Amino acid sequence: MALPEYGLKVLVTGTASDSHTWNLVFLQLFLEELNHRVVNLGPCVDGELLAAECAAHRPDLVLISSVNGHGYRDGLTAVTRLRADRAGATVPVVVGGKLGVAGACDAEAAARLLRAGCTAVFDDGDLDALRDFLTGLAAGGRLPAMRGRSTA
């Protein structure tokens, strides 16, 4: 696979209730290996801070990661707040990782995230699907097969 000359500017963040950092470091390295530029906000980022950082950095993509199983709930709050802000109204937003505490993918919760404004939901850390999504977005935003995608 040929790497793009320059990549997307990706804002990586944990959810408001998730204090895990290793997933965010892993995602940063994964994205950088694909030649994307990363602003890593770290863990425990609430919707207000996310909206402010989105306005300050003007990313091409916001990537919200969860390990603690509250990704559906916290992701919904974050994307709703982001979509209410002018700077975050149109930026693509993806949520991924361990999104529910039950351990099973929840198609209805993923659908709520999509209806709230998530561009894609990657339950249980589907890196191949994320890589495909990034490739499409970096190629000029062509996302017909990925828009609204849920791997749940």
Side-chain angles (χ1 to χ4, degrees), residues 6-42:
Y6 64 91
L8 303 168
K9 184 176 190 179
V10 183
L11 200 65
V12 173
T13 181
T15 64
S17 70
D18 198 331
S19 63
H20 293 91
T21 57
W22 62 264
N23 57 313
L24 303 174
V25 172
F26 173 82
L27 285 168
Q28 180 172 344
L29 295 171
F30 174 78
L31 292 166
E32 289 173 346
E33 285 180 3
L34 296 173
N35 287 347
H36 300 296
R37 295 161 288 150
V38 177
V39 176
N40 192 335
L41 300 181

Side-chain angles (χ1 to χ4, degrees), residues 32-150:
E32 289 173 346
E33 285 180 3
L34 296 173
N35 287 347
H36 300 296
R37 295 161 288 150
V38 177
V39 176
N40 192 335
L41 300 181
C44 300
V45 176
D46 66 16
E48 293 299 317
L49 178 58
L50 180 58
E53 293 296 322
C54 193
H57 293 285
R58 301 288 190 188
D60 300 309
L61 174 68
V62 173
L63 191 156
I64 302 171
S65 175
S66 175
V67 173
N68 70 356
H70 297 152
Y72 289 127
R73 184 193 66 202
D74 289 352
L76 185 61
T77 301
V79 76
T80 299
R81 173 60 186 91
L82 199 55
R83 293 302 186 220
D85 192 77
R86 185 176 180 181
T90 59
V91 65
V93 176
V94 299
V95 176
K98 184 176 181 210
L99 302 180
V101 294
C105 296
D106 185 338
E108 179 50 38
R112 281 193 301 275
L113 284 166
L114 295 169
R115 285 192 302 271
C118 281
T119 311
V121 178
F122 301 104
D123 202 337
D124 206 21
D126 187 345
L127 287 178
D128 291 331
L130 178 59
R131 184 182 294 111
D132 292 345
F133 177 87
L134 293 164
T135 300
L137 189 58
R142 294 189 300 271
L143 303 174
M146 300 302 292
R147 183 160 299 283
R149 178 189 172 113
S150 169

